[in-house]
PDB file of all heavy atoms in Angstrom:
ATOM      1  N   LYS A  83      -1.630   7.389  -5.944  1.00  0.00           N
ATOM      2  CA  LYS A  83      -2.625   6.624  -5.173  1.00  0.00           C
ATOM      3  C   LYS A  83      -3.754   7.445  -4.552  1.00  0.00           C
ATOM      4  O   LYS A  83      -4.503   6.906  -3.732  1.00  0.00           O
ATOM      5  CB  LYS A  83      -1.910   5.843  -4.067  1.00  0.00           C
ATOM      6  CG  LYS A  83      -1.192   6.748  -3.071  1.00  0.00           C
ATOM      7  CD  LYS A  83      -0.819   6.047  -1.786  1.00  0.00           C
ATOM      8  CE  LYS A  83      -0.188   7.021  -0.810  1.00  0.00           C
ATOM      9  NZ  LYS A  83       0.159   6.479   0.469  1.00  0.00           N
ATOM     10  N   ALA A  84      -3.875   8.720  -4.908  1.00  0.00           N
ATOM     11  CA  ALA A  84      -4.912   9.535  -4.255  1.00  0.00           C
ATOM     12  C   ALA A  84      -6.220   9.460  -5.048  1.00  0.00           C
ATOM     13  O   ALA A  84      -6.302   9.937  -6.184  1.00  0.00           O
ATOM     14  CB  ALA A  84      -4.446  10.975  -4.114  1.00  0.00           C
ATOM     15  N   VAL A  85      -7.228   8.868  -4.413  1.00  0.00           N
ATOM     16  CA  VAL A  85      -8.501   8.627  -5.093  1.00  0.00           C
ATOM     17  C   VAL A  85      -9.108   9.933  -5.612  1.00  0.00           C
ATOM     18  O   VAL A  85      -9.489  10.043  -6.786  1.00  0.00           O
ATOM     19  CB  VAL A  85      -9.486   7.921  -4.132  1.00  0.00           C
ATOM     20  CG1 VAL A  85     -10.870   7.844  -4.738  1.00  0.00           C
ATOM     21  CG2 VAL A  85      -8.971   6.535  -3.781  1.00  0.00           C
ATOM     22  N   GLY A  86      -9.188  10.951  -4.745  1.00  0.00           N
ATOM     23  CA  GLY A  86      -9.819  12.226  -5.123  1.00  0.00           C
ATOM     24  C   GLY A  86      -9.080  12.879  -6.287  1.00  0.00           C
ATOM     25  O   GLY A  86      -9.694  13.332  -7.266  1.00  0.00           O
ATOM     26  N   GLU A  87      -7.749  12.897  -6.192  1.00  0.00           N
ATOM     27  CA  GLU A  87      -6.924  13.499  -7.246  1.00  0.00           C
ATOM     28  C   GLU A  87      -7.133  12.771  -8.576  1.00  0.00           C
ATOM     29  O   GLU A  87      -7.186  13.386  -9.642  1.00  0.00           O
ATOM     30  CB  GLU A  87      -5.459  13.414  -6.818  1.00  0.00           C
ATOM     31  CG  GLU A  87      -4.484  14.111  -7.727  1.00  0.00           C
ATOM     32  CD  GLU A  87      -3.041  13.944  -7.240  1.00  0.00           C
ATOM     33  OE1 GLU A  87      -2.513  12.810  -7.289  1.00  0.00           O
ATOM     34  OE2 GLU A  87      -2.449  14.940  -6.816  1.00  0.00           O
ATOM     35  N   SER A  88      -7.301  11.453  -8.500  1.00  0.00           N
ATOM     36  CA  SER A  88      -7.466  10.672  -9.737  1.00  0.00           C
ATOM     37  C   SER A  88      -8.767  11.028 -10.460  1.00  0.00           C
ATOM     38  O   SER A  88      -8.854  10.899 -11.679  1.00  0.00           O
ATOM     39  CB  SER A  88      -7.406   9.169  -9.447  1.00  0.00           C
ATOM     40  OG  SER A  88      -8.636   8.683  -8.940  1.00  0.00           O
ATOM     41  N   CYS A  89      -9.767  11.494  -9.705  1.00  0.00           N
ATOM     42  CA  CYS A  89     -11.035  11.878 -10.343  1.00  0.00           C
ATOM     43  C   CYS A  89     -10.849  13.167 -11.137  1.00  0.00           C
ATOM     44  O   CYS A  89     -11.477  13.354 -12.185  1.00  0.00           O
ATOM     45  CB  CYS A  89     -12.126  12.062  -9.291  1.00  0.00           C
ATOM     46  SG  CYS A  89     -12.504  10.551  -8.411  1.00  0.00           S
ATOM     47  N   GLY A  90      -9.970  14.051 -10.665  1.00  0.00           N
ATOM     48  CA  GLY A  90      -9.717  15.309 -11.371  1.00  0.00           C
ATOM     49  C   GLY A  90      -8.683  15.164 -12.474  1.00  0.00           C
ATOM     50  O   GLY A  90      -8.684  15.938 -13.433  1.00  0.00           O
ATOM     51  N   GLN A  91      -7.764  14.199 -12.338  1.00  0.00           N
ATOM     52  CA  GLN A  91      -6.662  14.058 -13.304  1.00  0.00           C
ATOM     53  C   GLN A  91      -6.538  12.611 -13.779  1.00  0.00           C
ATOM     54  O   GLN A  91      -5.493  11.974 -13.604  1.00  0.00           O
ATOM     55  CB  GLN A  91      -5.333  14.469 -12.643  1.00  0.00           C
ATOM     56  CG  GLN A  91      -5.344  15.860 -12.050  1.00  0.00           C
ATOM     57  CD  GLN A  91      -4.046  16.153 -11.282  1.00  0.00           C
ATOM     58  OE1 GLN A  91      -2.980  15.607 -11.568  1.00  0.00           O
ATOM     59  NE2 GLN A  91      -4.126  17.013 -10.299  1.00  0.00           N
ATOM     60  N   PRO A  92      -7.614  12.081 -14.367  1.00  0.00           N
ATOM     61  CA  PRO A  92      -7.572  10.655 -14.727  1.00  0.00           C
ATOM     62  C   PRO A  92      -6.436  10.302 -15.682  1.00  0.00           C
ATOM     63  O   PRO A  92      -5.805   9.262 -15.544  1.00  0.00           O
ATOM     64  CB  PRO A  92      -8.941  10.400 -15.355  1.00  0.00           C
ATOM     65  CG  PRO A  92      -9.490  11.744 -15.704  1.00  0.00           C
ATOM     66  CD  PRO A  92      -8.897  12.711 -14.737  1.00  0.00           C
ATOM     67  N   LEU A  93      -6.150  11.198 -16.656  1.00  0.00           N
ATOM     68  CA  LEU A  93      -5.132  10.845 -17.663  1.00  0.00           C
ATOM     69  C   LEU A  93      -3.754  10.729 -17.024  1.00  0.00           C
ATOM     70  O   LEU A  93      -2.955   9.870 -17.403  1.00  0.00           O
ATOM     71  CB  LEU A  93      -5.109  11.885 -18.787  1.00  0.00           C
ATOM     72  CG  LEU A  93      -6.414  11.986 -19.586  1.00  0.00           C
ATOM     73  CD1 LEU A  93      -6.268  12.991 -20.728  1.00  0.00           C
ATOM     74  CD2 LEU A  93      -6.840  10.629 -20.125  1.00  0.00           C
ATOM     75  N   TYR A  95      -3.179   9.720 -14.055  1.00  0.00           N
ATOM     76  CA  TYR A  95      -3.168   8.423 -13.369  1.00  0.00           C
ATOM     77  C   TYR A  95      -3.017   7.269 -14.355  1.00  0.00           C
ATOM     78  O   TYR A  95      -2.279   6.325 -14.114  1.00  0.00           O
ATOM     79  CB  TYR A  95      -4.423   8.277 -12.480  1.00  0.00           C
ATOM     80  CG  TYR A  95      -4.170   8.865 -11.113  1.00  0.00           C
ATOM     81  CD1 TYR A  95      -3.994  10.234 -10.950  1.00  0.00           C
ATOM     82  CD2 TYR A  95      -4.020   8.053  -9.994  1.00  0.00           C
ATOM     83  CE1 TYR A  95      -3.699  10.783  -9.703  1.00  0.00           C
ATOM     84  CE2 TYR A  95      -3.729   8.584  -8.745  1.00  0.00           C
ATOM     85  CZ  TYR A  95      -3.574   9.946  -8.611  1.00  0.00           C
ATOM     86  OH  TYR A  95      -3.266  10.463  -7.379  1.00  0.00           O
ATOM     87  N   PHE A  96      -3.735   7.355 -15.475  1.00  0.00           N
ATOM     88  CA  PHE A  96      -3.623   6.274 -16.473  1.00  0.00           C
ATOM     89  C   PHE A  96      -2.184   6.190 -16.979  1.00  0.00           C
ATOM     90  O   PHE A  96      -1.600   5.121 -17.099  1.00  0.00           O
ATOM     91  CB  PHE A  96      -4.565   6.514 -17.660  1.00  0.00           C
ATOM     92  CG  PHE A  96      -6.029   6.558 -17.285  1.00  0.00           C
ATOM     93  CD1 PHE A  96      -6.943   7.226 -18.091  1.00  0.00           C
ATOM     94  CD2 PHE A  96      -6.506   5.929 -16.137  1.00  0.00           C
ATOM     95  CE1 PHE A  96      -8.295   7.270 -17.756  1.00  0.00           C
ATOM     96  CE2 PHE A  96      -7.861   5.971 -15.790  1.00  0.00           C
ATOM     97  CZ  PHE A  96      -8.747   6.654 -16.600  1.00  0.00           C
ATOM     98  N   ASN A 145     -13.629   4.647  -9.233  1.00  0.00           N
ATOM     99  CA  ASN A 145     -12.878   5.886  -9.506  1.00  0.00           C
ATOM    100  C   ASN A 145     -11.676   5.555 -10.387  1.00  0.00           C
ATOM    101  O   ASN A 145     -11.285   4.393 -10.488  1.00  0.00           O
ATOM    102  CB  ASN A 145     -12.439   6.538  -8.179  1.00  0.00           C
ATOM    103  CG  ASN A 145     -11.600   5.582  -7.345  1.00  0.00           C
ATOM    104  OD1 ASN A 145     -10.472   5.265  -7.686  1.00  0.00           O
ATOM    105  ND2 ASN A 145     -12.169   5.082  -6.253  1.00  0.00           N
ATOM    106  N   PRO A 146     -11.081   6.574 -11.043  1.00  0.00           N
ATOM    107  CA  PRO A 146      -9.970   6.306 -11.978  1.00  0.00           C
ATOM    108  C   PRO A 146      -8.774   5.615 -11.327  1.00  0.00           C
ATOM    109  O   PRO A 146      -8.143   4.753 -11.940  1.00  0.00           O
ATOM    110  CB  PRO A 146      -9.602   7.696 -12.494  1.00  0.00           C
ATOM    111  CG  PRO A 146     -10.866   8.487 -12.367  1.00  0.00           C
ATOM    112  CD  PRO A 146     -11.539   7.982 -11.120  1.00  0.00           C
ATOM    113  N   TYR A 147      -8.454   5.965 -10.071  1.00  0.00           N
ATOM    114  CA  TYR A 147      -7.345   5.264  -9.399  1.00  0.00           C
ATOM    115  C   TYR A 147      -7.639   3.768  -9.349  1.00  0.00           C
ATOM    116  O   TYR A 147      -6.805   2.939  -9.718  1.00  0.00           O
ATOM    117  CB  TYR A 147      -7.132   5.818  -7.982  1.00  0.00           C
ATOM    118  CG  TYR A 147      -6.297   4.897  -7.116  1.00  0.00           C
ATOM    119  CD1 TYR A 147      -4.940   4.740  -7.359  1.00  0.00           C
ATOM    120  CD2 TYR A 147      -6.882   4.137  -6.092  1.00  0.00           C
ATOM    121  CE1 TYR A 147      -4.176   3.870  -6.592  1.00  0.00           C
ATOM    122  CE2 TYR A 147      -6.131   3.275  -5.320  1.00  0.00           C
ATOM    123  CZ  TYR A 147      -4.774   3.144  -5.573  1.00  0.00           C
ATOM    124  OH  TYR A 147      -4.026   2.266  -4.814  1.00  0.00           O
ATOM    125  N   GLY A 148      -8.860   3.431  -8.897  1.00  0.00           N
ATOM    126  CA  GLY A 148      -9.242   2.028  -8.807  1.00  0.00           C
ATOM    127  C   GLY A 148      -9.192   1.365 -10.176  1.00  0.00           C
ATOM    128  O   GLY A 148      -8.758   0.213 -10.311  1.00  0.00           O
ATOM    129  N   THR A 150      -7.181   2.072 -12.578  1.00  0.00           N
ATOM    130  CA  THR A 150      -5.792   1.751 -12.963  1.00  0.00           C
ATOM    131  C   THR A 150      -5.368   0.436 -12.314  1.00  0.00           C
ATOM    132  O   THR A 150      -4.707  -0.384 -12.942  1.00  0.00           O
ATOM    133  CB  THR A 150      -4.785   2.872 -12.597  1.00  0.00           C
ATOM    134  OG1 THR A 150      -4.644   3.004 -11.177  1.00  0.00           O
ATOM    135  CG2 THR A 150      -5.149   4.200 -13.229  1.00  0.00           C
TER     136      THR A 150
END
Side-chain angles (χ1 to χ4, degrees):
K83 62 164 183 178
V85 172
E87 186 181 68
S88 80
C89 297
Q91 305 174 28
L93 297 183
Y95 273 68
F96 299 156
N145 57 70
Y147 164 71
T150 67

